[in-house]
Amino acid sequence: PRKSVVTSIGCFQEELDLVDIWRVQNPITKSFTWSQKSPKIFCRLDYWLISNTLQDFVSSSCILPAIKTDHAAIVLDLTNKENQNRGPGIWKMNCSLLEDENYVNDVALKIPVWITEGEKDLTDNRSIWEWLKYNIRAHAIQYSIKKAQERNEKESPSKRNIPG
Protein backbone atom coordinates (compact mmCIF):
# COMPACT_ATOMS: atom_id res chain seq x y z
CA PRO A 1 0.00 0.00 0.00
CA ARG A 2 2.79 2.49 0.86
CA LYS A 3 4.40 2.15 -2.55
CA SER A 4 1.14 2.95 -4.33
CA VAL A 5 0.76 6.14 -2.25
CA VAL A 6 4.31 7.22 -3.13
CA THR A 7 3.67 6.39 -6.78
CA SER A 8 0.41 8.37 -6.68
CA ILE A 9 2.19 11.39 -5.21
CA GLY A 10 4.85 11.11 -7.91
CA CYS A 11 2.17 10.99 -10.64
CA PHE A 12 0.39 13.94 -9.01
CA GLN A 13 3.66 15.92 -8.97
CA GLU A 14 4.41 15.09 -12.58
CA GLU A 15 0.91 15.87 -13.83
CA LEU A 16 0.80 19.27 -12.12
CA ASP A 17 4.53 20.07 -12.53
CA LEU A 18 5.14 20.26 -8.77
CA VAL A 19 8.44 19.93 -6.94
CA ASP A 20 9.33 19.14 -3.35
CA ILE A 21 11.12 22.44 -2.76
CA TRP A 22 12.90 21.30 0.42
CA ARG A 23 14.43 18.32 -1.41
CA VAL A 24 15.37 20.50 -4.41
CA GLN A 25 17.24 22.89 -2.10
CA ASN A 26 18.67 20.14 0.14
CA PRO A 27 19.46 17.26 -2.22
CA ILE A 28 21.81 15.33 0.11
CA THR A 29 20.68 16.46 3.58
CA LYS A 30 19.13 13.82 5.84
CA SER A 31 16.37 15.37 7.91
CA PHE A 32 13.06 14.04 9.17
CA THR A 33 9.60 15.52 9.58
CA TRP A 34 8.11 12.76 11.76
CA SER A 35 9.46 10.76 14.65
CA GLN A 36 8.32 8.26 17.23
CA LYS A 37 10.06 7.61 20.57
CA SER A 38 9.28 3.94 21.10
CA PRO A 39 10.29 2.16 19.00
CA LYS A 40 12.56 4.87 17.62
CA ILE A 41 11.45 5.68 14.08
CA PHE A 42 12.34 8.70 11.97
CA CYS A 43 10.74 9.42 8.58
CA ARG A 44 10.25 12.27 6.19
CA LEU A 45 6.48 12.13 5.74
CA ASP A 46 5.75 15.80 5.09
CA TYR A 47 6.42 17.65 1.86
CA TRP A 48 5.97 21.19 0.63
CA LEU A 49 5.01 20.80 -3.01
CA ILE A 50 5.07 23.96 -5.09
CA SER A 51 4.70 24.75 -8.76
CA ASN A 52 7.97 24.27 -10.60
CA THR A 53 7.71 27.85 -11.89
CA LEU A 54 7.71 29.24 -8.32
CA GLN A 55 11.11 27.79 -7.34
CA ASP A 56 12.86 31.12 -7.89
CA PHE A 57 10.66 32.76 -5.26
CA VAL A 58 11.88 30.43 -2.48
CA SER A 59 15.20 31.73 -1.15
CA SER A 60 15.57 28.98 1.48
CA SER A 61 13.74 26.13 3.16
CA CYS A 62 14.38 24.23 6.38
CA ILE A 63 12.82 21.67 8.69
CA LEU A 64 12.29 22.85 12.28
CA PRO A 65 10.82 21.17 15.36
CA ALA A 66 7.18 22.06 16.00
CA ILE A 67 5.36 22.38 19.31
CA LYS A 68 2.79 19.79 20.50
CA THR A 69 3.08 17.49 17.49
CA ASP A 70 5.22 14.60 16.36
CA HIS A 71 5.65 16.29 12.98
CA ALA A 72 8.28 18.92 12.23
CA ALA A 73 7.53 22.11 10.32
CA ILE A 74 8.86 22.86 6.86
CA VAL A 75 9.63 26.56 6.72
CA LEU A 76 10.04 28.49 3.46
CA ASP A 77 11.58 31.92 3.04
CA LEU A 78 9.99 33.67 0.06
CA THR A 79 11.53 36.55 -1.88
CA ASN A 80 9.91 39.32 -3.84
CA LYS A 81 10.93 39.10 -7.49
CA GLU A 82 9.17 42.34 -8.54
CA ASN A 83 12.35 44.07 -9.65
CA GLN A 84 13.64 41.04 -11.53
CA ASN A 85 14.06 41.36 -15.30
CA ARG A 86 11.32 39.49 -17.07
CA GLY A 87 11.55 37.56 -20.29
CA PRO A 88 9.45 38.14 -23.37
CA GLY A 89 6.46 36.30 -21.90
CA ILE A 90 4.08 34.01 -23.71
CA TRP A 91 3.34 34.75 -27.34
CA LYS A 92 -0.16 34.15 -28.67
CA MET A 93 -0.97 34.19 -32.36
CA ASN A 94 -3.03 37.20 -33.43
CA CYS A 95 -5.54 35.47 -35.70
CA SER A 96 -6.37 38.75 -37.45
CA LEU A 97 -3.07 38.23 -39.30
CA LEU A 98 -4.84 35.50 -41.27
CA GLU A 99 -7.11 38.18 -42.70
CA ASP A 100 -4.11 40.30 -43.76
CA GLU A 101 -3.57 39.47 -47.43
CA ASN A 102 0.06 40.64 -47.42
CA TYR A 103 0.90 38.39 -44.47
CA VAL A 104 -0.87 35.34 -45.94
CA ASN A 105 0.85 35.79 -49.34
CA ASP A 106 4.23 36.32 -47.69
CA VAL A 107 3.91 33.14 -45.59
CA ALA A 108 2.65 31.15 -48.60
CA LEU A 109 5.82 32.14 -50.50
CA LYS A 110 8.14 31.36 -47.57
CA ILE A 111 6.73 27.97 -46.53
CA PRO A 112 8.35 26.06 -49.46
CA VAL A 113 11.68 27.78 -48.69
CA TRP A 114 11.47 26.85 -45.00
CA ILE A 115 10.58 23.24 -45.87
CA THR A 116 13.55 23.01 -48.24
CA GLU A 117 15.86 24.46 -45.58
CA GLY A 118 14.53 21.96 -43.05
CA GLU A 119 14.99 18.99 -45.38
CA LYS A 120 18.66 19.91 -45.85
CA ASP A 121 19.56 19.65 -42.16
CA LEU A 122 16.81 17.54 -40.61
CA THR A 123 16.18 13.84 -41.11
CA ASP A 124 12.63 13.15 -39.97
CA ASN A 125 9.28 14.73 -40.85
CA ARG A 126 8.48 15.58 -37.24
CA SER A 127 11.60 17.75 -36.96
CA ILE A 128 10.82 19.43 -40.28
CA TRP A 129 7.28 20.15 -39.01
CA GLU A 130 8.69 21.73 -35.82
CA TRP A 131 11.14 23.77 -37.93
CA LEU A 132 8.28 24.99 -40.12
CA LYS A 133 6.15 25.98 -37.09
CA TYR A 134 9.15 27.77 -35.58
CA ASN A 135 9.65 29.83 -38.74
CA ILE A 136 5.95 30.67 -39.09
CA ARG A 137 5.87 31.81 -35.45
CA ALA A 138 9.03 33.91 -35.79
CA HIS A 139 7.72 35.49 -38.99
CA ALA A 140 4.32 36.25 -37.41
CA ILE A 141 6.03 37.95 -34.46
CA GLN A 142 8.26 40.08 -36.69
CA TYR A 143 5.39 40.97 -39.00
CA SER A 144 3.18 41.94 -36.03
CA ILE A 145 5.93 44.11 -34.53
CA LYS A 146 6.48 45.88 -37.86
CA LYS A 147 2.75 46.41 -38.34
CA ALA A 148 2.36 47.80 -34.79
CA GLN A 149 5.26 50.21 -35.33
CA GLU A 150 3.70 51.47 -38.56
CA ARG A 151 0.33 51.89 -36.84
CA ASN A 152 1.93 53.76 -33.92
CA GLU A 153 3.77 56.10 -36.27
CA LYS A 154 0.53 56.82 -38.08
CA GLU A 155 -1.40 57.47 -34.84
CA SER A 156 1.34 59.42 -33.05
CA PRO A 157 0.27 63.03 -32.26
CA SER A 158 3.73 64.41 -33.15
CA LYS A 159 3.50 62.90 -36.64
CA ARG A 160 0.17 64.64 -37.30
CA ASN A 161 1.30 68.03 -35.93
CA ILE A 162 -1.30 67.86 -33.18
CA PRO A 163 -0.21 69.32 -29.83
CA GLY A 164 0.46 66.50 -27.33
Side-chain angles (χ1 to χ4, degrees):
R2 180 167 159 65
K3 185 174 175 138
S4 65
V5 170
V6 172
T7 303
S8 296
I9 291 171
C11 292
F12 179 73
Q13 281 182 259
E14 190 176 314
E15 185 177 323
L16 298 176
D17 196 24
L18 302 174
V19 294
D20 174 9
I21 191 62
W22 185 85
R23 179 51 66 205
V24 168
Q25 292 187 341
N26 303 280
I28 58 173
T29 304
K30 281 191 177 184
S31 193
F32 308 101
T33 61
W34 180 81
S35 62
Q36 176 180 295
K37 289 183 181 178
S38 181
K40 269 196 174 184
I41 300 174
F42 297 92
C43 297
R44 185 157 174 268
L45 298 178
D46 304 292
Y47 301 90
W48 196 301
L49 301 176
I50 66 167
S51 170
N52 194 20
T53 57
L54 297 177
Q55 282 191 59
D56 292 341
F57 292 98
V58 180
S59 57
S60 67
S61 60
C62 61
I63 295 176
L64 299 174
I67 300 172
K68 295 186 178 183
T69 179
D70 56 354
H71 289 263
I74 301 174
V75 179
L76 304 182
D77 288 321
L78 303 175
T79 58
N80 184 356
K81 298 285 184 181
E82 258 183 42
N83 300 329
Q84 191 177 29
N85 291 338
R86 294 180 182 231
I90 297 173
W91 176 78
K92 189 175 175 184
M93 172 72 174
N94 180 353
C95 292
S96 68
L97 283 177
L98 300 175
E99 296 170 5
D100 183 330
E101 216 173 298
N102 292 330
Y103 173 77
V104 171
N105 292 336
D106 197 25
V107 169
L109 290 173
K110 291 182 179 192
I111 284 177
V113 174
W114 292 327
I115 291 173
T116 304
E117 287 173 358
E119 289 173 340
K120 279 188 225 170
D121 299 324
L122 304 169
T123 55
D124 65 304
N125 289 338
R126 204 175 306 169
S127 297
I128 294 168
W129 173 239
E130 293 301 321
W131 169 251
L132 181 60
K133 290 190 302 184
Y134 167 80
N135 280 288
I136 291 170
R137 177 184 187 273
H139 181 67
I141 291 169
Q142 291 305 312
Y143 189 90
S144 296
I145 289 170
K146 182 180 165 194
K147 195 170 176 179
Q149 287 171 343
E150 290 170 358
R151 185 176 55 249
N152 288 340
E153 285 175 10
K154 211 186 261 187
E155 295 173 358
S156 174
S158 62
K159 301 289 180 194
R160 292 183 287 162
N161 296 325
I162 298 174

